[in-house]
Amino acid sequence: MEAYKQVTRKSHPHDTVVQVRGVSIGDGSFTVIAGPCAVESREQLFATAQAVREAGATVLRGDAFKPRTSPYAFQGLKEEGLQLLAEAREAFDMPFVAEVLEPGDVELVASYADIIRVGTRNMSNYSLLQELGRSDKAVMLKRGFTATIDDWLTAAEYVYNEGNNNIILVERGIRTFETATRNTLDISAVPVVKQRSHLPVIVDPSHSGGHKYLVGPLAKAGLVVGAAGMMVDVHPNPSEAKVDGAQALLPEDFITLMGELQTLASATGVEVS
Amino acid sequence: MEAYKQVTRKSHPHDTVVQVRGVSIGDGSFTVIAGPCAVESREQLFATAQAVREAGATVLRGDAFKPRTSPYAFQGLKEEGLQLLAEAREAFDMPFVAEVLEPGDVELVASYADIIRVGTRNMSNYSLLQELGRSDKAVMLKRGFTATIDDWLTAAEYVYNEGNNNIILVERGIRTFETATRNTLDISAVPVVKQRSHLPVIVDPSHSGGHKYLVGPLAKAGLVVGAAGMMVDVHPNPSEAKVDGAQALLPEDFITLMGELQTLASATGVEVS
Amino acid sequence: MEAYKQVTRKSHPHDTVVQVRGVSIGDGSFTVIAGPCAVESREQLFATAQAVREAGATVLRGDAFKPRTSPYAFQGLKEEGLQLLAEAREAFDMPFVAEVLEPGDVELVASYADIIRVGTRNMSNYSLLQELGRSDKAVMLKRGFTATIDDWLTAAEYVYNEGNNNIILVERGIRTFETATRNTLDISAVPVVKQRSHLPVIVDPSHSGGHKYLVGPLAKAGLVVGAAGMMVDVHPNPSEAKVDGAQALLPEDFITLMGELQTLASATGVEVS
Amino acid sequence: MEAYKQVTRKSHPHDTVVQVRGVSIGDGSFTVIAGPCAVESREQLFATAQAVREAGATVLRGDAFKPRTSPYAFQGLKEEGLQLLAEAREAFDMPFVAEVLEPGDVELVASYADIIRVGTRNMSNYSLLQELGRSDKAVMLKRGFTATIDDWLTAAEYVYNEGNNNIILVERGIRTFETATRNTLDISAVPVVKQRSHLPVIVDPSHSGGHKYLVGPLAKAGLVVGAAGMMVDVHPNPSEAKVDGAQALLPEDFITLMGELQTLASATGVEVS
């Protein structure tokens, strides 16, 4: 018995395209998802959303529930954060993605978000995956930082098998012995996934490298290896960010990066959306 | 801000001893927890429980909920399995430990089990940890197969911080490049944890090595490095086990191993219980 | 005392440019090094050299000494291979790089090759590094597949400290738990090395991924993250290659890849040389 | 074609016993090899040799050539160190083991040492292995810190295939993501090697853990999993050791450890020699 079968190319040769409020992920374009790691306040969220929208991002990211390594760290604004994200969606006309941490919260998050994200620590939380498989919202599944590509596709199968086919995979770095980076972005995973599965795969250049200066190079690498998009942290004031400030781009850095990606994309016949 | 502080030796110099129905874990003795990986039937469970009890095990293991890599694999007998475990507890006078997979099931599992286990894939499932922190049952926390020792102690802090101090840590192997074993038992983790924390730590020689012939050597290694006990898979008919048969001991192998452990333990002044 | 100091940016802020028979590596262009993994015969070598030269490669690769995992595998043509490489250099006007396996062979290899390569298994062979440090030929230092970036730069320091400043670093993948690829190309290593050191760093998309279909994506990723070039295996008949055939490109695939790289390079203002 | 065949159990079912000046390694006893990491002076070496001999060690360790990560670190006393080791051998009646770093030094080291050691960084230095295969001295082959067990046995095959059958394998820890220890002692490797090969395998509890407090537990673990012995660093004044002081035992700690090992050994019918 194979560990996964419905998410394979063999069973479904054509690329899956995930449609979210007019944005298509997996149709050959490079979808840019950007925003703050965590929603901290209306000011912070709206300033960031406006900046990334103007620079060309089409999906907003921002979390209201944060899975923090330490119980003493900031845990997110919870439902208040989701409400702010929903307001930003209307204000800037961008669907948004937010993380869910446990099966009991799926209904709540789904009542606000357009795409529900499963974080790297929960990739093998099968009851959460099954609950999401019964949701009608798109699911974004980050690779566990110690998951093989086959483990990851098997996790996707848990969602798919319950009837939810709108799944976006995110390569976000794996745990290795190297300490110069937070994790090691497994750039090869993009072509490997594209060969094995019909699901769209994007890269996260922020959480993998863990340093601002690596975001640009890793984003470009994602584009040229054929990723369906990227998700990137932007913060108007990274040094005061409550979560992961070291890797967040300033809005002006993000604008520069978008210009560089546009150039690469034009050269290779890809549309940045 | 430190990621963990209450589970450190600094904050609590004396060893924590977890008491469960007359069994003490962490008091200097070597507690033997044994039973089938998954509860499959009354016959299988009772035959195994009787055998391990007679050979000297004091705690029964057996799972009713299985976190399987594939959605198409056997997922456990669920509540029926818990009922069988509770019957076996009475029949053989052994407390039992069983795994829980999601926060919503904590109440159910706690209504039957004496010790609730968090599996390796859920070690960073913080909402599950917090829910268990509010339970009055002892918690067994397996190390994530890609968790550093500090990650693991931080996960324990999540439980401890909610008020539940009865935590047993389980070293069960980490993911490395070596493929001769299922995972690499990090035997050094036992003395490292004992130096850093007051919580008892045991070893799992079955799931780490993944092969029957490794169980004996790894169990003995656990005893001599100072582990507070071990948890081992025993199955009356491993070749027909629905889960992880390759690593399960036959009852007669378990009896032999217990004899060897008794010899080592006597030599080193440890009691096997 | 720091492990390395002369190869750091701090001690030498400007990029080192390695000059080899009119080819400049590290001057902002993307240098393409291509050829067979091992020299097997004059026909095989010349056919490959001609094809890669016509497609735009400027440096020839080909090994005469092969460090094989098994003592029973093909070990290379030794001096005869070096002679063939020297003939190909004249015939196609390309400098060539070849591997050396032990200090005692440095003089021999240096008498033929333009660039002497240290393979991944020898990265920490300090006596070999020191011997190369006393050579007047450029040195190509592959990253050990389990070396951190700091280990690698320290190995470069061994060469540099003996007086040889012409060093080219090669990122060729690291050992991780992932098995879908032969090794995991650490694409982040390119920007990290460029920040820490003044030495040029190139990528090896052939040996890292281990599969032909990964060569193109990884080569492009190398170009856009700022690598100084790439080294790629090409073989006129990969299925009969004596070494590493699975990852070798056919000449026609190499031509296609060169076209794609030219397009990317033009868009980003880089020259492919 | 298999990567190794002569070192397998299949080709040679009985345990290889390596005989060195009256000491048998691999005969079922637990051979204790102890001494300073590096030879620093006559005083340091003789004080250590006397202490470890009196405590029951039968083989002396001490290096004259040190493979240091940094070119600026102490590199060893070279031939003078070998002379001191030879004098200590006579004074205390113990054969000694010393490391060799390159093929060109094999003859020199072999003219003094009883056992020639290949360090972890050189495990895949095939020309060194072949040179040692032609020596008449016993070879001690440390596992590369990123070598699989099969890689390691293949390296042994390189020595064996040249005609030298006197090989002792040393498990010394592998590189993993865990940072609490210098490396992760792969204790399972001992029973795995014993199943696959007829060569004796010992453990190095000093270099694996990297901390003095881990030496005792790891040494005991080695004994009970069936290792043929251990090699341990002892230094009369660890805080002033030129190499690896953090992990060296004081002579008095070594005496205590030897007592504990004797107790364990008696209980399990093993002789400590």
Side-chain angles (χ1 to χ4, degrees):
Chain A
M1 186 171 56
E2 281 188 334
Y4 58 95
K5 44 193 179 189
Q6 298 181 64
V7 303
T8 59
R9 277 262 173 227
K10 256 178 297 184
S11 75
H12 187 314
H14 298 297
D15 287 351
T16 286
V17 179
V18 177
Q19 305 276 1
V20 182
R21 289 189 178 238
V23 177
S24 297
I25 301 166
D27 65 349
S29 66
F30 188 76
T31 302
V32 177
I33 303 167
C37 185
V39 178
E40 298 169 20
S41 67
R42 178 187 299 266
E43 290 68 32
Q44 173 245 20
L45 177 62
F46 276 55
T48 311
Q50 179 167 6
V52 301
R53 186 67 175 118
E54 286 174 7
T58 54
V59 181
L60 178 65
R61 68 152 289 154
D63 285 325
F65 293 89
K66 296 304 301 177
R68 306 307 304 286
T69 307
S70 166
Y72 308 119
F74 175 65
Q75 311 274 330
L77 294 184
K78 308 211 161 78
E79 187 164 3
E80 184 195 339
L82 293 170
Q83 286 166 337
L84 292 172
L85 284 158
E87 289 177 37
R89 169 175 54 206
E90 303 310 317
F92 304 104
D93 187 28
M94 315 171 75
F96 78 88
V97 55
E99 182 162 356
V100 69
L101 299 181
E102 54 183 296
D105 287 340
V106 167
E107 195 178 331
L108 173 66
V109 178
S111 71
Y112 290 97
D114 303 293
I115 306 172
I116 308 180
R117 198 173 71 247
V118 178
T120 190
R121 287 177 186 76
N122 272 322
M123 191 206 80
S124 300
N125 185 337
Y126 302 127
S127 50
L128 180 60
L129 297 174
Q130 287 174 319
E131 188 66 31
L132 287 165
R134 294 184 285 267
S135 169
D136 60 355
K137 291 298 175 75
V139 172
M140 179 181 279
L141 181 62
K142 293 192 104 172
R143 180 178 181 182
F145 56 69
T146 56
T148 64
I149 292 170
D150 278 344
D151 291 344
W152 185 22
L153 291 176
T154 303
E157 184 92 359
Y158 264 94
V159 178
Y160 205 94
N161 191 40
E162 297 291 327
N164 189 344
N165 302 350
N166 290 306
I167 304 171
I168 302 154
L169 301 168
V170 188
E171 163 59 38
R172 47 77 65 213
I174 58 174
R175 187 168 261 188
T176 70
F177 58 80
E178 179 56 65
T179 54
T181 45
R182 179 170 166 172
N183 287 118
T184 298
L185 184 73
D186 182 6
I187 195 71
S188 315
V190 174
V192 171
V193 165
K194 290 181 75 170
Q195 193 202 47
R196 297 190 180 180
S197 176
H198 52 83
L199 297 174
V201 55
I202 69 170
V203 295
D204 179 338
S206 303
H207 289 78
S208 47
H211 296 284
K212 205 158 77 162
Y213 82 99
L214 295 172
V215 174
L218 299 181
K220 292 176 207 169
L223 188 147
V224 298
V225 297
M230 70 166 176
M231 181 165 61
V232 61
D233 286 12
V234 177
H235 195 284
N237 194 351
S239 64
E240 295 190 6
K242 292 193 177 172
V243 181
D244 290 338
Q247 72 209 23
L249 293 187
L250 280 166
E252 50 264 43
D253 299 329
F254 180 70
I255 293 169
T256 305
L257 173 58
M258 287 296 284
E260 295 172 347
L261 292 172
Q262 291 282 10
T263 303
L264 271 185
S266 314
T268 52
V270 169
E271 188 190 350
V272 174
S273 64
Chain B
M1 186 169 57
E2 283 188 331
Y4 56 94
K5 45 194 179 187
Q6 298 180 64
V7 303
T8 59
R9 276 263 173 229
K10 257 179 294 183
S11 76
H12 186 313
H14 299 296
D15 287 351
T16 286
V17 180
V18 176
Q19 305 276 359
V20 181
R21 289 191 179 237
V23 177
S24 297
I25 301 166
D27 66 348
S29 66
F30 188 77
T31 301
V32 177
I33 302 167
C37 185
V39 177
E40 298 168 20
S41 68
R42 178 187 299 269
E43 293 64 34
Q44 172 244 24
L45 176 64
F46 277 55
T48 311
Q50 179 166 7
V52 301
R53 186 69 176 119
E54 286 175 9
T58 54
V59 180
L60 179 65
R61 70 151 289 154
D63 286 325
F65 294 89
K66 296 305 299 178
R68 305 308 301 288
T69 306
S70 167
Y72 308 118
F74 174 65
Q75 310 274 332
L77 294 183
K78 308 214 161 78
E79 187 164 3
E80 184 194 338
L82 293 170
Q83 285 165 338
L84 292 172
L85 284 159
E87 288 177 39
R89 169 175 56 206
E90 302 311 316
F92 304 104
D93 188 27
M94 312 171 77
F96 79 87
V97 56
E99 182 162 357
V100 69
L101 299 183
E102 53 182 297
D105 287 339
V106 168
E107 195 178 332
L108 173 68
V109 178
S111 72
Y112 289 97
D114 303 293
I115 306 173
I116 308 179
R117 198 172 73 246
V118 178
T120 189
R121 287 177 185 75
N122 272 321
M123 192 206 81
S124 301
N125 185 336
Y126 301 128
S127 52
L128 180 61
L129 298 174
Q130 287 175 319
E131 187 66 31
L132 288 165
R134 294 184 285 265
S135 168
D136 60 354
K137 291 300 175 72
V139 172
M140 178 180 280
L141 181 63
K142 292 193 105 172
R143 180 179 182 182
F145 55 68
T146 55
T148 64
I149 293 170
D150 279 344
D151 290 344
W152 186 21
L153 292 175
T154 302
E157 184 91 0
Y158 264 92
V159 178
Y160 204 93
N161 190 41
E162 298 290 326
N164 189 344
N165 302 348
N166 290 306
I167 303 170
I168 301 154
L169 301 168
V170 188
E171 163 57 37
R172 48 76 68 213
I174 58 175
R175 186 169 262 189
T176 69
F177 58 81
E178 179 57 63
T179 54
T181 45
R182 178 170 167 170
N183 287 116
T184 299
L185 185 73
D186 182 6
I187 196 72
S188 314
V190 174
V192 171
V193 164
K194 291 181 74 171
Q195 193 202 46
R196 297 190 180 180
S197 175
H198 52 84
L199 296 175
V201 55
I202 70 170
V203 294
D204 179 338
S206 303
H207 289 77
S208 47
H211 294 285
K212 204 157 80 162
Y213 81 99
L214 294 172
V215 175
L218 298 181
K220 292 176 205 168
L223 189 147
V224 300
V225 297
M230 69 165 178
M231 180 162 63
V232 61
D233 286 12
V234 178
H235 195 286
N237 195 350
S239 64
E240 297 190 6
K242 293 194 179 173
V243 182
D244 289 338
Q247 70 208 23
L249 294 186
L250 281 167
E252 50 264 43
D253 299 327
F254 181 70
I255 292 168
T256 304
L257 173 59
M258 287 297 282
E260 294 172 348
L261 291 172
Q262 290 283 7
T263 303
L264 271 185
S266 313
T268 52
V270 169
E271 188 190 350
V272 174
S273 67
Chain C
M1 186 171 54
E2 282 187 335
Y4 57 96
K5 43 193 180 190
Q6 298 181 65
V7 303
T8 59
R9 276 261 174 229
K10 257 180 295 185
S11 75
H12 188 314
H14 298 295
D15 287 352
T16 286
V17 180
V18 177
Q19 305 276 359
V20 181
R21 291 190 177 236
V23 177
S24 297
I25 301 165
D27 65 349
S29 66
F30 188 77
T31 302
V32 176
I33 303 167
C37 185
V39 177
E40 298 169 21
S41 67
R42 178 187 299 268
E43 291 66 32
Q44 172 244 21
L45 177 62
F46 276 54
T48 312
Q50 178 167 8
V52 301
R53 186 69 176 116
E54 286 175 7
T58 55
V59 181
L60 179 65
R61 69 151 291 153
D63 285 325
F65 294 89
K66 295 304 301 177
R68 305 307 303 286
T69 306
S70 166
Y72 308 118
F74 174 65
Q75 310 274 330
L77 295 183
K78 308 217 163 75
E79 187 163 5
E80 184 195 339
L82 293 170
Q83 285 165 337
L84 291 172
L85 283 159
E87 290 177 37
R89 170 176 53 207
E90 302 311 317
F92 304 104
D93 187 28
M94 313 170 77
F96 78 86
V97 55
E99 182 163 356
V100 68
L101 299 181
E102 54 181 296
D105 287 339
V106 168
E107 196 178 331
L108 173 67
V109 178
S111 71
Y112 289 96
D114 304 293
I115 306 173
I116 308 179
R117 198 173 72 246
V118 178
T120 189
R121 289 177 184 75
N122 272 322
M123 192 206 80
S124 300
N125 185 337
Y126 301 128
S127 51
L128 180 60
L129 297 174
Q130 287 174 321
E131 188 66 29
L132 288 165
R134 293 185 285 266
S135 169
D136 60 355
K137 292 296 176 75
V139 172
M140 179 180 280
L141 182 62
K142 292 193 105 171
R143 180 178 181 182
F145 56 67
T146 56
T148 63
I149 292 170
D150 279 344
D151 291 344
W152 186 22
L153 292 175
T154 302
E157 184 91 0
Y158 264 93
V159 177
Y160 204 93
N161 191 41
E162 298 291 327
N164 189 343
N165 302 349
N166 290 307
I167 304 170
I168 302 154
L169 300 168
V170 187
E171 163 58 36
R172 47 77 66 214
I174 58 175
R175 187 168 261 188
T176 69
F177 57 80
E178 179 56 65
T179 54
T181 45
R182 179 170 166 172
N183 286 118
T184 298
L185 183 74
D186 182 6
I187 196 71
S188 314
V190 174
V192 171
V193 165
K194 291 181 73 170
Q195 194 202 47
R196 296 189 181 181
S197 176
H198 51 84
L199 297 174
V201 56
I202 70 170
V203 296
D204 180 337
S206 302
H207 289 78
S208 47
H211 295 285
K212 205 157 78 162
Y213 82 100
L214 294 172
V215 174
L218 298 182
K220 292 176 207 170
L223 188 147
V224 299
V225 298
M230 70 165 178
M231 181 163 62
V232 61
D233 287 12
V234 178
H235 195 286
N237 195 351
S239 64
E240 295 190 6
K242 293 194 177 172
V243 181
D244 290 339
Q247 71 208 23
L249 294 187
L250 281 166
E252 51 264 44
D253 298 328
F254 181 69
I255 293 169
T256 305
L257 174 59
M258 287 298 282
E260 294 172 346
L261 291 172
Q262 290 284 9
T263 303
L264 271 185
S266 314
T268 53
V270 169
E271 189 190 351
V272 174
S273 65
Chain D
M1 186 170 57
E2 282 189 333
Y4 56 95
K5 43 194 180 188
Q6 299 181 64
V7 303
T8 59
R9 277 263 173 229
K10 259 179 294 184
S11 75
H12 187 314
H14 298 296
D15 287 351
T16 286
V17 179
V18 178
Q19 305 276 0
V20 182
R21 289 191 179 237
V23 177
S24 297
I25 301 165
D27 66 349
S29 66
F30 188 77
T31 302
V32 177
I33 302 167
C37 185
V39 178
E40 297 168 21
S41 67
R42 178 187 300 268
E43 292 67 33
Q44 173 245 22
L45 176 63
F46 276 56
T48 312
Q50 179 165 7
V52 301
R53 186 70 177 114
E54 287 175 8
T58 54
V59 180
L60 179 64
R61 69 152 289 153
D63 285 326
F65 294 88
K66 295 305 299 177
R68 305 307 303 287
T69 306
S70 168
Y72 308 117
F74 174 66
Q75 310 274 332
L77 294 184
K78 309 214 160 80
E79 187 163 5
E80 183 195 338
L82 292 170
Q83 286 166 336
L84 291 173
L85 284 158
E87 288 177 38
R89 168 174 56 206
E90 303 310 317
F92 303 105
D93 188 27
M94 312 170 77
F96 78 88
V97 56
E99 182 162 356
V100 69
L101 299 182
E102 54 182 297
D105 286 339
V106 166
E107 195 178 333
L108 174 68
V109 178
S111 72
Y112 289 97
D114 304 292
I115 306 172
I116 308 180
R117 198 173 71 247
V118 178
T120 190
R121 286 177 186 76
N122 273 320
M123 192 206 80
S124 300
N125 185 336
Y126 302 128
S127 51
L128 180 60
L129 297 174
Q130 286 175 320
E131 187 67 30
L132 287 165
R134 295 184 284 266
S135 168
D136 60 356
K137 292 298 176 74
V139 172
M140 178 180 281
L141 181 62
K142 292 192 103 172
R143 179 178 182 183
F145 56 68
T146 55
T148 63
I149 292 170
D150 279 344
D151 290 344
W152 185 22
L153 292 175
T154 302
E157 184 92 359
Y158 264 92
V159 178
Y160 204 93
N161 191 41
E162 297 291 327
N164 189 344
N165 303 347
N166 290 307
I167 303 170
I168 302 154
L169 300 167
V170 188
E171 162 58 38
R172 49 75 68 212
I174 59 175
R175 186 168 261 187
T176 68
F177 59 79
E178 179 56 65
T179 54
T181 46
R182 179 171 167 170
N183 287 118
T184 299
L185 185 74
D186 181 7
I187 196 71
S188 315
V190 174
V192 171
V193 165
K194 292 181 73 171
Q195 194 203 46
R196 297 189 180 179
S197 175
H198 51 84
L199 297 174
V201 55
I202 70 171
V203 295
D204 178 338
S206 302
H207 289 78
S208 46
H211 294 286
K212 205 157 80 161
Y213 82 99
L214 294 173
V215 175
L218 298 182
K220 292 177 206 169
L223 189 147
V224 300
V225 297
M230 69 165 178
M231 180 163 62
V232 61
D233 286 12
V234 178
H235 195 287
N237 194 352
S239 64
E240 296 189 5
K242 292 194 178 173
V243 182
D244 290 338
Q247 71 208 24
L249 293 186
L250 280 167
E252 51 264 41
D253 299 328
F254 181 69
I255 293 169
T256 304
L257 173 59
M258 288 297 282
E260 295 172 348
L261 291 172
Q262 289 283 8
T263 303
L264 271 185
S266 314
T268 53
V270 169
E271 188 190 350
V272 174
S273 66

